[in-house]
Amino acid sequence: MTDHHQTYGTSTHTADELTQLVGDRLGLAFTERDSHFLGVYYVADIPGRKIEIQPNRIPGDDDEDDLYAPEHPTVRVLLLTTTPAPDAALRAELTSVERLVHLTLGSAE
């Protein structure tokens, strides 16, 4: 099984707001987690798929934050998906969330 990863982002919603919006749209419950690497983030595990919502700014060395996706410095919150194959239905649902965009290398679609 191959993992297929997609990244989405928003410059307007907080992680809490995006968790609520995506949870309501997809009927998912997100679990809050905290890690030294990511800080506070949210995960929804669905059989065969995984969705994570996290801030783009993550704890860095020397008490300075780093960007998880440095090619998107204006994006405040990221949504990352892992699926066994491209999932057009999931992509359509996520891109229908207001102000959530699919991110590509170096730009937003």
Side-chain angles (χ1 to χ4, degrees), residues 33-41 58-63 65:
R33 297 194 181 156
D34 193 356
S35 87
H36 179 71
F37 178 68
L38 296 175
V40 174
Y41 67 105
I58 57 174
D61 297 328
D62 303 324
D63 295 324
D65 289 343

Side-chain angles (χ1 to χ4, degrees), residues 9-27:
T10 179
S11 299
T12 55
H13 300 300
T14 66
D16 289 333
E17 291 167 344
L18 189 58
T19 298
Q20 184 67 45
L21 289 168
V22 173
D24 289 348
R25 175 153 324 256
L26 299 178

Side-chain angles (χ1 to χ4, degrees), residues 45-84:
D45 283 311
I46 311 129
R49 301 186 297 176
K50 183 176 187 178
I51 299 176
E52 293 183 16
I53 295 175
Q54 67 178 59
N56 192 16
R57 290 197 169 280
I58 57 174
D61 297 328
D62 303 324
D63 295 324
E64 290 188 27
D65 289 343
D66 292 328
L67 293 177
Y68 186 88
E71 64 275 18
H72 300 288
T74 62
V75 172
R76 292 175 45 189
V77 177
L78 300 169
L79 183 148
L80 303 109
T81 65
T82 305
T83 57

